[in-house]
Amino acid sequence: MKLRLVDDWRNWWRWNSTKVILALGALPTIWFELPPEWKAEIPSSWMRVGAIVLMVVGVLSRMTLQKPPKDKGDGE
């Protein structure tokens, strides 16, 4: 299997799925950096549920067609 880049790989930062994957990757770091008293107030199951929700949203956003952004220089 040979890996190939998609045609619009330069626009990776515009894709909703990329944003969700970045959020999923940041979730453990955010949890780690929270003060202990905040963690005590948040049920630990929320971390698991949040990760699952982000994963599902990421898959769904990758499967759906995203509208191309409007260019700011087109005068519209």
Side-chain angles (χ1 to χ4, degrees):
M1 176 197 291
K2 184 178 179 180
L3 296 177
R4 294 179 301 174
L5 294 174
V6 294
D7 292 336
D8 62 341
W9 66 270
R10 289 180 180 91
N11 293 320
W12 67 270
W13 56 275
R14 292 182 176 173
W15 301 340
N16 291 331
S17 59
T18 301
K19 295 170 187 172
V20 173
I21 291 169
L22 290 172
L24 187 58
L27 191 61
T29 303
I30 292 168
W31 180 258
F32 181 75
E33 294 296 327
L34 285 176
E37 54 273 5
W38 288 17
K39 287 183 189 177
E41 297 294 322
I42 302 171
S44 61
S45 62
W46 285 17
M47 178 73 155
R48 200 171 25 256
V49 170
I52 291 169
V53 167
L54 283 174
M55 181 180 63
V56 169
V57 169
V59 169
L60 291 175
S61 67
R62 191 66 189 133
M63 292 170 37
T64 57
L65 184 61
Q66 197 174 321
K67 292 180 183 178
K70 293 181 180 179
D71 290 334
K72 294 187 175 160
D74 63 1
E76 293 182 19

